[in-house]
Amino acid sequence: MNEYDSKRIYDVVKKIGYIKTEKPDEANCYIINTCHIREKATDKVYHDVGRVKKNFRNKKKPIVIITGCVAQAEGEILLKREKYIDAVVGPQSYHRLSEILKKIESNSTSIDSTEFEVIEKFDNLNLIKNSDSNISSFLTIQEGCDKFCKFCVVPYTRGAEFSRSIKEILNECQDLVNNGAKEITLLGQNVNAFNYGGNKLSTLISEINKLDRIRRIRYTTSHPLDFSDDLIEAHKTVEKLMPLIHLPIQSGSNKILKSMNRKHSVEDYINLVNKLKRLNPAIRFSSDFIIGYPGETDKDFNDTLKLLKEVEFINSYSFIFSPRPGTPASKMKKIDENLTKERLKIFQKSAGELKMKYRKELFNKKSSVLFENKIKGKENEFFGRDEYLNSVIVKSHNDLVGKIEVVDILDGSQNTLYGKIEKKFNNFAA
Ligand code: SAM
Ligand code: SF4
């Protein structure tokens, strides 16, 4: 979502004449967009500002603005501690950036803009075309969260659940199509909680499916509790909906899930996975895991390993529990740091082995790949992704950008698959 926000921030400031520079040392304005989901985010801000300060020691000071969730959560402290920062702007206020920049240009008082103005934000952004020209583009449809998992800052930094209207989403989608997008990833902290006037995510997906030039649709991140039957059904009926579902579980232990306030059990999760697989056997899953949550015993951790193997996730993102200021879990007793690190290592080894096993199964098979770009500095090498978001590289003398091709997968590592384009025979050739 920060990637989407950064692009929209650029669309906003472009309106008043700011353009991106390839030479950061000559910039007259820095906007640092931040994430607060895990620790070190604030340290990174001070570090980045320090670097700008050093580079501009003998030059005119550029405007420095911190946007995003660190600005929301710790804006006041940032402004007090680092006078070099001119403004802090929360994730629901960045539509005000042109106005804020003009104020800073005319007088140099520091500005704190961290209100929750999500409706106003999108009302303003709707008036500014999305200039993203990627083949695969992000589109935010839902923001915020009402679930209050005990470890998570999102409900405090992004605010309450909010869904954009289907009409405005489709308008923005059309902008992206006009810019060349072939794949749209619908974004939300709880994307499947999307509900605009009773219309759910499945309705929106069906509408986007009707757009001729869109070839692939994805959505992320889903919550198991919001996986309604209509969305499950969409995975059978909507042809452009991709068969990879990112469905965070966090832990394989019911005790830990309860203590996290996830409001579903491991069994609920497995039932959902099986239901989706029965409906569409091509579906695969990826997930997020938190390792070393307060109270996690060896048994809880082993249950997580068991679940990892049972579902055979093709991609697992694992994070050491990070106590976020203001969340209930931050007040719980932490478990031993070395033990947590050891568990993370074991988990990532297992997840890596599973991923490699899955990838080897793809060798000598065909994959449908949407090509996103030519690789910089390489002659005739193109980068694309298959239906499961696996990165694929092929060599070709034809320009493949924006095309979907059937690729024979020949080889690969944990991160990249290598293949060649299936030869096309011309029936009418002499
Ligand atoms: N809404 C999604 C869900 O509930 O499944 C997840 C969104 S969250 C922004 C992305 C991921 O960050 C979570 O799935 C979780 O694994 C991780 N995360 C969030 N807070 C964390 C914390 N305090 N420590 C470690 N990881 C955390
Ligand atoms: Fe955070 Fe997701 Fe839980 Fe909401 S549902 S509080 S975004 S982890």
Side-chain angles (χ1 to χ4, degrees):
M1 187 166 284
N2 265 19
E3 207 174 310
Y4 172 87
D5 286 345
S6 297
K7 284 182 174 156
R8 295 302 272 154
I9 285 172
Y10 181 53
D11 287 340
V12 171
V13 301
K14 213 165 53 178
K15 281 263 166 206
I16 56 160
Y18 282 86
I19 53 160
K20 272 185 212 162
T21 174
E22 297 299 320
K23 298 178 182 160
D25 288 353
E26 291 173 15
N28 55 3
C29 174
Y30 278 77
I31 298 178
I32 302 174
N33 196 20
T34 60
C35 173
H36 200 238
I37 200 81
R38 282 176 293 277
E39 62 208 316
K40 304 227 163 66
T42 318
D43 296 348
K44 218 169 158 277
V45 172
Y46 289 122
H47 180 81
D48 285 350
V49 175
R51 218 176 37 213
V52 177
K53 222 164 143 177
K54 196 169 151 218
N55 288 347
F56 282 81
R57 209 170 19 216
N58 301 317
K59 290 190 249 172
K60 185 171 181 280
K61 176 192 173 311
I63 293 173
V64 174
I65 300 178
I66 310 301
T67 57
C69 291
V70 174
Q72 187 66 44
E74 302 191 40
E76 222 175 296
I77 306 169
L78 286 173
L79 283 179
K80 251 192 217 143
R81 198 177 127 184
E82 181 49 272
K83 301 288 177 222
Y84 208 75
I85 299 172
D86 296 289
V88 288
V89 180
Q92 307 306 11
S93 311
Y94 67 74
H95 57 288
R96 295 188 55 229
L97 268 169
S98 335
E99 182 197 320
I100 291 169
L101 272 167
K102 281 186 189 154
K103 267 193 200 153
I104 301 172
E105 284 166 2
S106 59
N107 64 40
S108 53
T109 55
S110 61
I111 298 171
D112 184 338
S113 182
T114 46
E115 300 301 309
F116 287 108
E117 303 165 311
V118 65
I119 298 177
E120 189 187 305
K121 176 176 87 170
F122 282 113
D123 281 350
N124 278 270
L125 289 180
N126 288 334
L127 305 173
I128 304 172
K129 279 199 182 307
N130 188 325
S131 66
D132 182 7
S133 58
N134 283 349
I135 297 294
S136 174
S137 291
F138 291 134
L139 174 43
T140 292
I141 64 163
Q142 182 275 339
E143 272 204 49
C145 181
D146 297 339
K147 296 216 164 39
F148 291 92
C149 299
K150 290 203 175 152
F151 52 82
C152 183
V153 283
V154 168
Y156 310 97
T157 54
R158 292 257 172 188
E161 242 168 59
F162 168 82
S163 296
R164 297 177 69 190
S165 85
I166 294 210
K167 187 164 165 268
E168 74 188 57
I169 296 167
L170 290 175
N171 282 342
E172 191 170 334
C173 199
Q174 195 56 54
D175 282 350
L176 296 170
V177 169
N178 295 343
N179 300 344
K182 296 278 164 39
E183 175 176 276
I184 298 287
T185 302
L186 304 172
L187 299 180
Q189 269 84 32
N190 265 312
V191 74
N192 54 343
F194 176 86
N195 188 330
Y196 185 79
N199 288 309
K200 300 222 239 163
L201 179 60
S202 59
T203 309
L204 177 64
I205 289 173
S206 303
E207 288 301 313
I208 297 178
N209 195 54
K210 291 180 195 157
L211 300 177
D212 276 348
R213 285 189 278 164
I214 292 296
R215 308 282 304 275
R216 289 178 166 186
I217 306 168
R218 304 181 186 277
Y219 58 88
T220 198
T221 296
S222 304
H223 193 289
L225 274 188
D226 292 312
F227 233 104
S228 48
D229 284 344
D230 52 311
L231 183 58
I232 297 179
E233 191 63 25
H235 276 278
K236 186 176 168 192
T237 55
V238 181
E239 40 162 331
K240 295 177 189 170
L241 189 55
M242 290 296 101
L244 172 68
I245 301 176
H246 185 61
L247 193 60
I249 172 82
Q250 316 298 355
S251 168
S253 149
N254 280 332
K255 183 192 97 191
I256 296 294
L257 288 181
K258 190 154 189 277
S259 157
M260 287 176 165
N261 192 32
R262 289 291 288 183
K263 298 196 184 89
H264 62 80
S265 65
V266 175
E267 292 72 24
D268 296 334
Y269 186 92
I270 291 174
N271 284 342
L272 176 60
V273 162
N274 289 339
K275 205 166 172 183
L276 278 153
K277 275 187 177 165
R278 266 198 308 277
L279 194 84
N280 179 353
I283 289 180
R284 299 281 178 276
F285 295 88
S286 60
S287 199
D288 293 346
F289 296 85
I290 295 181
I291 308 295
Y293 188 77
E296 185 188 77
T297 59
D298 281 345
K299 181 184 177 311
D300 298 321
F301 175 64
N302 285 331
D303 286 347
T304 301
L305 284 178
K306 190 168 151 251
L307 181 76
L308 171 75
K309 288 171 192 156
E310 183 171 347
V311 180
E312 296 193 314
F313 294 104
I314 65 168
N315 250 320
S316 300
Y317 304 92
S318 47
F319 317 103
I320 283 186
F321 166 68
S322 164
R324 309 314 293 131
T327 60
S330 68
K331 296 180 191 88
M332 297 176 184
K333 190 171 178 286
K334 272 185 83 177
I335 65 167
D336 180 75
E337 202 179 317
N338 289 331
L339 182 63
T340 306
K341 282 186 184 156
E342 190 53 33
R343 284 183 185 160
L344 184 76
K345 229 194 264 167
I346 297 171
F347 181 89
Q348 292 187 335
K349 188 167 174 282
S350 271
E353 283 164 7
L354 256 180
K355 187 168 169 181
M356 209 50 226
K357 176 175 163 267
Y358 156 72
R359 282 178 168 247
K360 282 193 175 145
E361 284 164 12
L362 302 176
F363 295 176
N364 304 316
K365 298 225 175 77
K366 295 187 191 308
S367 273
S368 162
V369 177
L370 170 61
F371 287 94
E372 296 181 18
N373 57 275
K374 191 162 186 278
I375 298 176
K376 261 194 199 151
K378 297 267 172 122
E379 211 168 313
N380 303 326
E381 282 196 25
F382 291 85
F383 169 87
R385 288 180 195 273
D386 70 7
E387 296 187 328
Y388 299 93
L389 281 180
N390 295 310
S391 305
V392 180
I393 293 179
V394 302
K395 282 193 175 165
S396 169
H397 290 290
N398 301 324
D399 182 7
L400 299 178
V401 177
K403 296 193 175 121
I404 294 184
E405 299 281 353
V406 176
V407 172
D408 287 315
I409 302 298
L410 305 174
D411 197 3
S413 61
Q414 250 204 33
N415 297 321
T416 313
L417 298 169
Y418 301 93
K420 70 170 198 284
I421 304 265
E422 203 182 43
K423 271 214 178 75
K424 284 181 193 138
F425 294 100
N426 184 347
N427 291 333
F428 302 103

